[in-house]
């Protein structure tokens, strides 16, 4: 049971000031994560967008450029630019689709897979620094809440 004082200290769901405070806190944490992500990826000269594409290809395997664009929910031209940047670093390769010579398949190279493993190890450490301040129960609650908001 909560006391009146505890309830008064927490903004209610219809309290606009509470929503602003929540949005500000969420934005601050999101900025912190973006900054840490950029710092973490800098040694590999990879942006978060490049990493998303690399992870998507590693998770789902070889796919058409159009499929990658759909999975990432980005414009086909943007997907082409991301793949160009990854290919220039030998992280992915393009090849002709044997089923449709007009289409291009994209796949992660061995070098790309090894770089992705290095990045995952480093990012795991960085995420641990940020989320490690939360108890396991709080992390589970946060994951559940963020999944609900995302979906």
């Amino acid at each position: 049971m909560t006391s009146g004082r505890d309830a008064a200290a927490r903004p209610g769901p219809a309290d606009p000031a509470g929503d602003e405070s929540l949005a500000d806190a969420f934005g601050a944490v999101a900025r912190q994560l973006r900054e840490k992500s950029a710092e973490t990826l800098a040694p590999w000269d990879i942006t978060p967008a490049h990493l998303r594409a690399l992870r998507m290809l590693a998770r789902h395997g070889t796919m058409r450029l159009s499929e990658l664009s759909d999975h990432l929910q980005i414009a086909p031209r943007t997907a082409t630019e991301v793949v160009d940047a990854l290919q220039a670093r030998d992280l992915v390769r393009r090849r002709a689709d044997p089923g449709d010579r007009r289409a291009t398949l994209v796949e992660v190279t061995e070098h790309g897979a090894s770089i992705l493993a290095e990045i995952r190890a480093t990012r795991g450490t960085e995420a641990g620094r940020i989320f490690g301040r939360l108890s396991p129960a709080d992390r589970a609650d946060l994951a559940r809440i963020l999944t609900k908001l995302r979906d």
Side-chain angles (χ1 to χ4, degrees):
M1 182 166 150
T2 60
S3 70
R5 186 182 54 163
D6 291 338
R10 284 192 319 262
D15 180 357
D19 289 344
E20 276 185 38
S21 177
L22 183 59
D24 289 344
F26 186 84
V29 172
R31 273 189 304 282
Q32 185 180 15
L33 286 169
R34 277 192 305 274
E35 289 168 4
K36 281 290 180 200
S37 181
E39 287 173 23
T40 302
L41 296 174
W44 293 279
D45 193 26
I46 292 177
T47 68
H50 297 158
L51 180 61
R52 282 185 63 224
L54 194 58
R55 287 175 41 205
M56 188 66 63
L57 288 165
R59 184 179 312 126
H60 296 286
T62 302
M63 66 177 72
R64 288 183 177 180
L65 197 51
S66 60
E67 290 175 280
L68 180 62
S69 170
D70 290 343
H71 278 295
L72 296 173
Q73 298 178 342
I74 59 175
R77 177 70 194 140
T78 303
T80 298
E81 291 169 358
V82 168
V83 169
D84 287 347
L86 292 172
Q87 187 174 16
R89 292 168 182 81
D90 189 35
L91 302 176
V92 300
R93 79 172 62 83
R94 288 180 168 101
R95 61 182 172 87
D97 183 342
D100 181 353
R101 64 189 181 129
R102 297 169 298 164
T104 301
L105 297 174
V106 183
E107 61 192 2
V108 177
T109 63
E110 285 183 33
H111 178 64
S114 70
I115 294 297
L116 185 56
E118 290 176 29
I119 291 170
R120 281 182 174 148
T122 302
R123 283 178 59 101
T125 303
E126 292 301 323
R129 287 187 185 134
I130 293 170
F131 296 112
R133 295 177 270 181
L134 300 175
S135 71
D138 284 346
R139 284 194 304 271
D141 285 345
L142 180 60
R144 179 187 54 76
I145 291 166
L146 292 175
T147 299
K148 190 174 192 176
L149 290 174
R150 182 190 65 204
D151 297 338

